[in-house]
Amino acid sequence: MMTTDALEADRREITRLHEIWFEANRGFRIEGMREVFAGGNRFHGFNLNGHTYGDREEWTTLWRHYQKTLDITDVPKVEKLHVVVKGDVAWLTCEATIRFRALSGPGTGSAALPADDTIASAKFRGTEVYVREDEDGRPVWKMWHCHYSPSAPETEPRPGFE
């Protein structure tokens, strides 16, 4: 059984990794992403762009593309954050807003991007799965999976709660 102190230390570490990850999104800082994601073939993610990326190297390729075509103007602003730790597995859920602008118009990979330099924003939801094991089997927390998707518009009633 985990002590409360150990559980809180794990929650702090998961939150710290999440903050590094969100901070890395601004500027598409690959070294920050690589610090958080498990390497090898262990990481698998569903990007907010609607596409699946099979490992950390595929995410690196995506970010090299976005470094030339997209500007995340601020660190995504987290509005709700929830962390659950169960032994050597943890998950974090959040709701957040991201602000961005297209740098080069076509080829940015998302129909939602404006055609000019207008700053746009999008609310999204995310789930991040962490395992206390890196690609070399060391017992350190790493993100093994993430899934991001757009939030429903705030004006849209939640079915069943109208």
Side-chain angles (χ1 to χ4, degrees):
M1 181 91 176
M2 277 189 132
T3 68
T4 302
D5 289 344
L7 186 58
E8 283 308 310
D10 287 340
R11 282 191 185 122
R12 281 192 306 275
E13 178 62 4
I14 298 304
T15 302
R16 184 186 76 80
L17 290 169
H18 167 78
E19 289 170 353
I20 291 169
W21 162 233
F22 266 34
E23 187 73 42
N25 276 267
R26 186 169 168 258
F28 298 103
R29 290 183 313 98
I30 291 168
E31 68 280 356
M33 174 266 294
R34 293 176 73 82
E35 179 180 344
V36 174
F37 287 8
N41 65 354
R42 298 190 186 251
F43 179 80
H44 182 263
F46 301 141
N47 190 275
L48 186 56
N49 69 15
H51 294 278
T52 302
Y53 296 88
D55 60 25
R56 190 170 71 182
E57 296 314 310
E58 285 193 1
W59 211 282
T60 298
T61 299
L62 170 69
W63 275 24
R64 285 190 179 124
H65 167 76
Y66 279 153
Q67 286 171 338
K68 296 179 270 186
T69 60
L70 190 62
D71 178 30
I72 305 295
T73 60
D74 306 298
V75 174
K77 181 181 178 230
V78 175
E79 293 142 17
K80 296 178 183 175
L81 183 80
H82 184 73
V83 179
V84 176
V85 178
K86 296 288 186 182
D88 290 336
V89 176
W91 57 93
L92 177 150
T93 60
C94 65
E95 295 181 34
T97 301
I98 192 167
R99 291 171 30 96
F100 56 91
R101 66 185 174 95
L103 294 176
S104 61
T108 57
S110 174
L113 289 175
D116 57 21
D117 253 2
T118 303
I119 294 177
S121 66
K123 293 189 90 165
F124 68 94
R125 306 165 301 168
T127 301
E128 301 166 5
V129 178
Y130 294 83
V131 177
R132 193 190 325 256
E133 182 180 320
D134 71 3
E135 61 274 10
D136 297 319
R138 292 177 296 202
V140 295
W141 287 108
K142 291 288 185 178
M143 186 190 301
W144 281 46
H145 176 73
C146 62
H147 184 164
Y148 301 100
S149 60
S151 295
E154 290 181 11
T155 56
E156 181 180 304
R158 287 174 52 210
F161 294 87
E162 301 85 9

